[in-house]
Amino acid sequence: MSIQTFHATLFAEGEQSDLFGYLLNVAQASLKDVLAVRSELAWDGWG
Amino acid sequence: MDIYSQAIQLLLDHPQTQRWPQLQETCTRALGHKPIAWDFPLRACRALGGTQAAIAPAIAALTCAHMSLILVDDLLDEDPRGAYHQLGVGQAANLAQALFGLALDVLETAGSPSGVLAAAAIGRLQLHTAYGQDLDAQNLRSEEAYWQVARAKSSPYFATGLYLGALFAGAEAGLAKQLHDFGALFGEMLQIHDDLNDCLAVPANVDWLQGRAPLPILYAELAPHAQQARFMELRGEVSDPAALQEAQSILVSSGAISYCVSELVRRHSQAGEQLAGIPLRDSRPLEELLDQMIAPVRHLFERVAS
């Protein structure tokens, strides 16, 4: 899905799929909550 | 001796390594520093029910390839941790060449019927990654270019790891190619993880400071969100911790982080379908890779559940 389409879908009014519901929760979360799982977001050693 | 140590011993026993102290030192250092995905050949072998002892040359070649790629990557990124600071630029480039040559020779002299196919795969890994590095250095700022770079720069290494393992486990070329394609998708997922990690680093990572466009930043630059102009202002000020925090908050609220997560979820599902179509003796060694990729997404969803 393109960035433009994704953005429009994520912030669209009305019924969302389960996945987009979760993704919207992420967009509405605090930076602190997102940073809390940052250490899991990469395997060490890739450039 | 474990399989990884056996693999490194193959490199250390090579006549060229024995007569070249710098190459010997580099291979010796690898004993204590397993490269990322070093175990991909082993996982492929286990999934196919092959004999573990046969894949030491595949692990040795992949380790050489990784050391070579990192030497060059550090040069291109001007990474302060790069070995070229001690070796000099020319020597680092020369050592990178030597490591790829060593990988080829170890594969060809292993006596496997797949030695030629395996050596050709290492050649393609070098060629495709170099192309990806060149594209990356051009700093092209479009979605199409981003995925092109990820496929060229990140996918070949992981794909080759599984491909080599499959060949040395005795798989025919078509089956090995299926594992290769699964590894390529894994490489794209890893690149997304890496971009997320780098963009959320504190203090600002080199991706911010060198004006690059990893996926979250590319999204924040291209998506029509209300804070786009502010983000572009902050982009050049991220050495200031307050500006970095505000820019990272915009990555969250604009949907940039959500977009990356959705691309991870999409590839995870695609890779699961691919895996289901590969006739494996035991799919668990490869399923574990997918589980590791998606676990942080699950944790994030749980944490932010409203």
PDB file of all heavy atoms in Angstrom, chain A residues 42-46, chain B residues 35-36 81:
ATOM      1  N   ALA A  42      15.165  -4.089  16.371  1.00  0.00           N
ATOM      2  CA  ALA A  42      16.211  -4.392  15.387  1.00  0.00           C
ATOM      3  C   ALA A  42      17.125  -5.492  15.895  1.00  0.00           C
ATOM      4  O   ALA A  42      17.304  -5.645  17.086  1.00  0.00           O
ATOM      5  CB  ALA A  42      17.031  -3.155  15.094  1.00  0.00           C
ATOM      6  N   TRP A  43      17.643  -6.218  14.984  1.00  0.00           N
ATOM      7  CA  TRP A  43      18.694  -7.158  15.317  1.00  0.00           C
ATOM      8  C   TRP A  43      19.977  -6.378  15.190  1.00  0.00           C
ATOM      9  O   TRP A  43      20.137  -5.579  14.274  1.00  0.00           O
ATOM     10  CB  TRP A  43      18.699  -8.317  14.327  1.00  0.00           C
ATOM     11  CG  TRP A  43      17.562  -9.235  14.478  1.00  0.00           C
ATOM     12  CD1 TRP A  43      16.398  -8.998  15.146  1.00  0.00           C
ATOM     13  CD2 TRP A  43      17.472 -10.544  13.944  1.00  0.00           C
ATOM     14  NE1 TRP A  43      15.596 -10.089  15.044  1.00  0.00           N
ATOM     15  CE2 TRP A  43      16.226 -11.047  14.309  1.00  0.00           C
ATOM     16  CE3 TRP A  43      18.320 -11.339  13.176  1.00  0.00           C
ATOM     17  CZ2 TRP A  43      15.796 -12.311  13.954  1.00  0.00           C
ATOM     18  CZ3 TRP A  43      17.898 -12.588  12.818  1.00  0.00           C
ATOM     19  CH2 TRP A  43      16.654 -13.084  13.212  1.00  0.00           C
ATOM     20  N   ASP A  44      20.865  -6.635  16.125  1.00  0.00           N
ATOM     21  CA  ASP A  44      22.118  -5.893  16.105  1.00  0.00           C
ATOM     22  C   ASP A  44      22.964  -6.337  14.902  1.00  0.00           C
ATOM     23  O   ASP A  44      22.947  -7.490  14.525  1.00  0.00           O
ATOM     24  CB  ASP A  44      22.869  -6.154  17.410  1.00  0.00           C
ATOM     25  CG  ASP A  44      24.011  -5.204  17.584  1.00  0.00           C
ATOM     26  OD1 ASP A  44      23.924  -4.086  17.081  1.00  0.00           O
ATOM     27  OD2 ASP A  44      25.000  -5.605  18.202  1.00  0.00           O
ATOM     28  N   GLY A  45      23.657  -5.392  14.328  1.00  0.00           N
ATOM     29  CA  GLY A  45      24.690  -5.767  13.372  1.00  0.00           C
ATOM     30  C   GLY A  45      24.329  -5.647  11.909  1.00  0.00           C
ATOM     31  O   GLY A  45      25.055  -6.138  11.064  1.00  0.00           O
ATOM     32  N   TRP A  46      23.211  -5.018  11.594  1.00  0.00           N
ATOM     33  CA  TRP A  46      22.917  -4.786  10.187  1.00  0.00           C
ATOM     34  C   TRP A  46      23.143  -3.318   9.877  1.00  0.00           C
ATOM     35  O   TRP A  46      22.796  -2.460  10.660  1.00  0.00           O
ATOM     36  CB  TRP A  46      21.489  -5.210   9.848  1.00  0.00           C
ATOM     37  CG  TRP A  46      21.256  -5.269   8.368  1.00  0.00           C
ATOM     38  CD1 TRP A  46      20.310  -4.604   7.652  1.00  0.00           C
ATOM     39  CD2 TRP A  46      22.002  -6.042   7.415  1.00  0.00           C
ATOM     40  NE1 TRP A  46      20.426  -4.923   6.316  1.00  0.00           N
ATOM     41  CE2 TRP A  46      21.456  -5.792   6.142  1.00  0.00           C
ATOM     42  CE3 TRP A  46      23.095  -6.913   7.503  1.00  0.00           C
ATOM     43  CZ2 TRP A  46      21.955  -6.380   4.978  1.00  0.00           C
ATOM     44  CZ3 TRP A  46      23.592  -7.489   6.341  1.00  0.00           C
ATOM     45  CH2 TRP A  46      23.016  -7.223   5.107  1.00  0.00           C
TER      46      TRP A  46
ATOM     47  N   PRO B  35      28.353 -13.116  13.040  1.00  0.00           N
ATOM     48  CA  PRO B  35      27.595 -12.095  12.305  1.00  0.00           C
ATOM     49  C   PRO B  35      26.094 -12.355  12.377  1.00  0.00           C
ATOM     50  O   PRO B  35      25.664 -13.486  12.648  1.00  0.00           O
ATOM     51  CB  PRO B  35      28.089 -12.247  10.868  1.00  0.00           C
ATOM     52  CG  PRO B  35      28.580 -13.638  10.770  1.00  0.00           C
ATOM     53  CD  PRO B  35      29.080 -14.023  12.139  1.00  0.00           C
ATOM     54  N   ILE B  36      25.339 -11.319  12.130  1.00  0.00           N
ATOM     55  CA  ILE B  36      23.889 -11.454  12.065  1.00  0.00           C
ATOM     56  C   ILE B  36      23.547 -12.546  11.041  1.00  0.00           C
ATOM     57  O   ILE B  36      24.199 -12.649   9.996  1.00  0.00           O
ATOM     58  CB  ILE B  36      23.228 -10.106  11.692  1.00  0.00           C
ATOM     59  CG1 ILE B  36      21.721 -10.202  11.748  1.00  0.00           C
ATOM     60  CG2 ILE B  36      23.685  -9.601  10.341  1.00  0.00           C
ATOM     61  CD1 ILE B  36      21.024  -8.859  11.603  1.00  0.00           C
ATOM     62  N   ARG B  81      32.885   3.892  13.858  1.00  0.00           N
ATOM     63  CA  ARG B  81      33.356   2.617  14.420  1.00  0.00           C
ATOM     64  C   ARG B  81      34.071   1.760  13.374  1.00  0.00           C
ATOM     65  O   ARG B  81      34.521   0.658  13.654  1.00  0.00           O
ATOM     66  CB  ARG B  81      32.160   1.809  14.976  1.00  0.00           C
ATOM     67  CG  ARG B  81      31.404   2.494  16.096  1.00  0.00           C
ATOM     68  CD  ARG B  81      30.028   1.882  16.256  1.00  0.00           C
ATOM     69  NE  ARG B  81      29.248   2.008  15.014  1.00  0.00           N
ATOM     70  CZ  ARG B  81      28.037   1.503  14.831  1.00  0.00           C
ATOM     71  NH1 ARG B  81      27.450   0.817  15.783  1.00  0.00           N
ATOM     72  NH2 ARG B  81      27.399   1.674  13.666  1.00  0.00           N
TER      73      ARG B  81
END
